[in-house]
Amino acid sequence: MSHSEPLLDWIKTQAPDYDWNLKGDPQGITLVELSELALSQRSDCQSTPDLAGFLFEHRMWFHLTDEEGHQIDQPRPPEHTAIWISVRSTPWAS
């Protein structure tokens, strides 16, 4: 199924906004959940690793956290770590 909305904009509509008041808990949509949605609704997302790579390339738009709610600071997706995605209120300047 083809979709005319750019993938970045689509992800922003699927992931909830980051809530600064919730500290220490993971929040947002998981990479697995987002990937399942993307694979069923989009033609420009082929796999979970591809989606993870895309998110990390565009990480200025997202909070990417692990299962303990800690920000994932590395430049590439970690292996064997659950990733939660939420949208930043403003783009992060790297």
Side-chain angles (χ1 to χ4, degrees):
M1 172 185 209
S2 180
H3 203 281
S4 60
E5 183 179 28
L7 182 57
L8 179 62
D9 292 337
W10 180 84
I11 294 170
K12 288 179 188 178
T13 66
Q14 301 304 311
D17 292 336
Y18 184 79
D19 184 346
W20 286 100
N21 295 320
L22 297 175
K23 300 288 186 195
D25 290 325
Q27 58 176 293
I29 187 170
T30 67
L31 176 61
V32 170
E33 292 167 332
L34 185 62
S35 179
E36 288 171 357
L37 277 174
L39 292 170
S40 69
Q41 297 179 12
R42 306 212 36 115
S43 61
D44 54 357
C45 183
Q46 302 301 314
S47 70
T48 300
D50 286 348
L51 181 58
F54 183 86
L55 286 163
F56 275 76
E57 283 176 34
H58 295 88
R59 64 183 299 144
M60 73 279 297
W61 293 103
F62 304 103
H63 283 278
L64 304 173
T65 55
D66 64 17
E67 59 273 354
E68 295 178 354
H70 299 118
Q71 185 79 18
I72 300 172
D73 292 327
Q74 58 212 67
R76 284 199 275 273
E79 293 287 322
H80 311 295
T81 299
I83 299 171
W84 275 260
I85 302 117
S86 53
V87 178
R88 294 179 186 277
S89 56
T90 57
W92 167 50
S94 54

